[in-house]
Structure formats: structure tokens, C-alpha cells
Amino acid sequence: MIVASTTDFREAARRRLPRFLFDYIDGGAFAEVTLGRNVDDLADIALRQRVLRDVSQLDLSTTLFGQRLELPIALAPIGLAGLNARRGECQAVRAADRAGIPFTLSTVSACPLDEVARAASRPFWFQLYMIRDRAFMRELLAQARQAGCSALVFTVDMPVPGTRYRDYRTGLAGAPGMKGAIWRFAQAALRPGWAWDVGLTGRPHALGNVAPVLKGRTGIEDFFAWMRANFDPTISWRDLEFIRSEWKGPLIIKGLLDPEDAREAAALGADGIIVSNHGGRQLDGVLSTARALPLIVDAVGDRLTVLADGGVRSGLDVVRMLALGARSVLLGRAWAYALGAQGEAGVTKLLELMAAEIRVAMALTGVTSISEINETILARTM
Ligand code: FNR
């Protein structure tokens, strides 16, 4: 199929990826209400149409944590993204580098930190979860430093995994042993392009960063078992002090939706936060990020850098999030779909299309630089 817009990648990924992988990306928690609200509430944000303001010169660049970005975008951490295309995180980091934006490597990526560092041509970000084994966390932080990561994204909205029914239906989670393997094999057999590109020639399929502690247990069910056993539900603000003292560079806390928590993060000395509900994959029914963001910007916007993700599918959505107060926006599913559809070329094309859409939105709201995008471009509807 011809991919002409940012949103076409979803359909292209659906056609290329085995069902268990597509549904893993596409799905959310429980009845997927928050997943839908993230997209719908953003689409509801109306912008002011302004005219006659000389929009011939547009500057889409911005600065984040001392780093220049060519677009107000970063790629969000996506676990298992390396399975969407051969050595997928390496392909994605190359596309992000070419576009001049940060890539964030998930703790539970397929490619390990050092492999991604070899593929990257500029510093990328590393995302960490709270893991019971603190010595292993220290080891991961040391590897991230070694890999030259320029920021640590510490995700706090997953003390326990959300309930994602699609993953049970497809046999990705909760179907251990031969039964799950046969079910997934049957789904992969229907997608020969992926089966060759990733299934057969994209090995190893291990969780790169976690492989040393999984000790040879590399099946997908081992991944979920490891997550259940090792993600630490005792996590509290005290643990954040541990992270803050271990990581001297920019620390960005990901997964805040409440102004009270955002104030705690500011008090702790975080450099940034990501307003996020994990793309509607954790507690179903919580606020969309479009709704939560302005409240959090009001609470802490003058004390730290507020970023946001959730439901961003186009350059127009990026502009909407910035207008609601985010300094930059993270893309989650958007890049995972593009990678699944067309690999590195897909992510590159996605980012080009995003840039083109941002340009049009800026020109038609009458702004010429990213710093001019704020609540003044929001339409008041009464
Ligand atoms: C995620 N997300 C995520 N977040 C994180 O901190 N670490 C991770 O490993 C993952 N893994 C992951 C896998 C998949 C398949 C998805 C869709 C999401 C959440 C992600 O970083 C981001 O917050 C959301 O994806 C943003 O919402 P949208 O853009 O996908 O709607």
C-alpha cells in the first residue's frame, strides 16, 4: 500500500506484522478507553486560524536539556520494538539521528545498549524501569553512561503491568510453553515478509539489556515472567533519590498524570517530566494526557521541562500538545507502526511527514518558531 500520511503507517504495519506483535503495539489496557481518549481529546483541540502574518520562514528547531533538536519531537521508549523490523532499535536510532531528534531506548528493548550505541551517530536517551535488583540497575546505568546516553528517562507508571487483554488473546502473554509458541508461529506464518526479515534473519530475539540476568531463557513468555517478577512495586519517591544520586545527567521522570506528583518530581530535582499514561496501557479510565497536561504545566511548568506523549499521530497533534504547554512531544505508537511497516525508511518518512504537517500547522496558525506555539494559538470555544 502507498503510505501518504502519518496515519497510514498503522494500516501498513497491520498488514506486515504478525497479529501478536501488531496487537501488542496497537492495544491498550482493559477496555482501551484511555487509549481512545488520548487520541480523541487531542483531536478535539481547536486551533486559531490566523492570516496575513508572513509565514515564509519557519524554524522547527528547539533546545532540550542543552541539546539542539531539529523538531520538537523525541521517539518514546517502546519495549520489544526491535522485533518490528530486523534489529529494529538500531534502524530507529539511525532514522532519529538523521532527523536530528533523540531516540529513547527501552529497558526491555531487543537490541542492547552497546549495539544501539554502535548504530547511533549522536547521543540517545535511555529509559529505565525500577527493578528489584538494585545492583543490576546500577549496572544498566553504568552501561548507559558508557554508551554516551545524554538523558535518563525513568518510568514510574508501571509498578505493576496493566491488564492488556489483546496480549492474552494473541498468545503473547499468558500462553506459556508449546501452546503459545505454536499459536504465535501460526500468526507469523501468515506474514512471510516479517517471518524472513525478523523471525529467521533478525536473531537474536533476546531482550538485549536483560539477557544477562535471564540466563539463556529467551522466550517471549520468559520476558513477561521476568517483568512480573522483577519490576518493583515497592517503588516510592525515596527510590527516586537513589536514581537522582546515581545519574548526574538530565533526569526525566516519565509517567506522571497528576499535579501533586509533578510537584514531588520538581522537589526531587528532576530536570524534566513526561506527562503520560503509558499510551493508555496501564490504568484504563485515567485522564487523557491532553486533559492532564495543562494542569501539570500550571503546577510545575516554571520549575522543570514538561514533555508529553499519548495519542500523537500527526504533526498537527504535535502542535496541539505544544499549544497545551509541552516543551516537546514524544511519539510512541506512531514510530512503532512506521518501523513495523517499512523499517528505518518508514521512520525517516514518518518524521519527514511529521515535519511537513508541523510546518503547515505553524503557517496556518500564524507562528514561525516553536517557542511561539503556546496557549495563544488555542481557539476559545464558548
Ligand atoms: C510503550 N511504552 C513504554 N514506555 C516505557 O517507558 N518503556 C517501555 O518499554 C514502553 N514500552 C511500550 C511498548 C509499546 C508497544 C507501546 C505502545 C508503548 C509507552 C510509550 O513510551 C509512550 O508513553 C506511549 O506509547 C505514548 O502513547 P502513544 O503515542 O503510543 O499513543
Side-chain angles (χ1 to χ4, degrees):
M1 72 175 273
I2 294 174
V3 171
S5 83
T6 44
T7 49
D8 290 344
F9 283 107
R10 176 173 182 265
E11 179 56 21
R14 197 183 62 74
R15 292 182 190 197
R16 181 165 168 89
L17 296 175
R19 176 88 188 268
F20 66 85
L21 262 189
F22 178 75
D23 272 357
Y24 167 67
I25 302 167
D26 198 56
F30 199 64
E32 304 186 345
V33 169
T34 296
L35 168 60
R37 278 186 193 152
N38 277 348
V39 174
D40 295 346
D41 288 350
L42 209 44
D44 269 354
I45 303 292
L47 301 174
R48 289 169 73 193
Q49 171 177 298
R50 304 299 307 279
V51 297
L52 303 171
R53 293 168 74 90
D54 184 359
V55 288
S56 55
Q57 303 292 322
L58 303 177
D59 181 3
L60 275 63
S61 70
T62 187
T63 304
L64 217 50
F65 310 115
Q67 200 181 348
R68 181 185 155 98
L69 275 54
E70 296 307 322
L71 301 170
I73 289 177
L75 300 190
I78 299 280
L80 298 182
L83 296 183
N84 295 353
R86 187 185 309 175
R87 314 311 293 157
E89 288 98 358
C90 292
Q91 297 201 42
V93 80
R94 283 194 291 263
D97 286 355
R98 194 172 303 120
I101 63 162
F103 168 79
T104 314
L105 184 69
S106 165
T107 303
V108 288
S109 55
C111 302
L113 271 154
D114 60 339
E115 186 182 349
V116 175
R118 285 194 299 277
S121 55
R122 48 183 269 160
F124 58 99
W125 296 355
F126 181 60
Q127 177 266 325
L128 190 63
Y129 281 117
M130 197 73 195
I131 300 166
R132 284 182 198 268
D133 181 347
R134 301 293 193 268
F136 178 50
M137 280 184 78
R138 275 205 185 92
E139 168 60 26
L140 285 176
L141 288 172
Q143 285 180 31
R145 267 191 295 273
Q146 176 86 19
C149 292
S150 56
L152 181 71
V153 173
F154 187 70
T155 300
V156 294
D157 59 3
M158 197 147 148
V160 295
T163 308
R164 303 176 198 155
Y165 291 126
R166 288 207 220 181
D167 293 346
Y168 289 94
R169 288 192 198 106
T170 60
L172 186 70
M178 280 311 279
K179 196 175 157 210
I182 290 168
W183 182 215
R184 289 191 301 274
F185 182 84
Q187 297 170 52
L190 294 172
R191 295 289 185 269
W194 179 90
W196 171 257
D197 182 40
V198 182
L200 290 172
T201 58
R203 289 172 185 278
H205 295 151
L207 285 185
N209 300 315
V210 181
V213 287
L214 276 172
K215 298 191 176 67
R217 287 171 284 120
T218 57
I220 263 179
E221 61 276 20
D222 297 320
F223 159 68
F224 284 101
W226 180 83
M227 261 179 38
R228 277 191 294 272
N230 289 281
F231 279 28
D232 192 348
T234 69
I235 182 172
S236 70
W237 287 105
R238 266 201 311 283
D239 297 298
L240 268 275
E241 285 164 20
F242 161 79
I243 298 294
R244 179 66 286 185
S245 64
E246 290 283 319
W247 181 265
K248 303 297 176 218
L251 172 64
I252 309 166
I253 301 181
K254 175 171 183 283
L256 300 181
L257 209 57
D258 193 286
E260 286 290 302
D261 288 336
R263 281 190 201 101
E264 293 261 18
L268 189 111
D271 301 281
I273 54 171
I274 302 173
V275 178
S276 174
N277 51 35
H278 217 100
R281 297 164 76 81
Q282 285 297 96
L283 182 60
D284 199 24
V286 294
L287 278 186
S288 66
T289 43
R291 290 216 172 190
L293 177 60
L295 308 174
I296 294 190
V297 171
D298 270 357
V300 296
D302 55 343
R303 296 167 69 191
L304 41 66
T305 301
V306 180
L307 311 176
D309 71 22
V312 178
R313 302 288 180 264
S314 65
L316 178 54
D317 288 341
V318 171
V319 171
R320 287 174 166 134
M321 277 289 201
L322 299 185
L324 292 173
R327 280 281 311 280
S328 270
V329 169
L330 286 91
L331 303 180
R333 290 180 182 81
W335 78 261
Y337 294 137
L339 183 68
Q342 297 180 353
E344 182 178 338
V347 183
T348 294
K349 182 162 187 195
L350 171 82
L351 294 172
E352 286 168 1
L353 289 169
M354 286 271 171
E357 291 172 350
I358 292 172
R359 256 185 221 108
V360 172
M362 286 173 70
L364 298 182
T365 50
V367 298
T368 56
S369 69
I370 297 300
S371 60
E372 286 172 62
I373 305 177
N374 54 35
E375 76 282 355
T376 61
I377 70 161
L378 293 173
R380 304 259 168 255
T381 45
M382 278 270 290

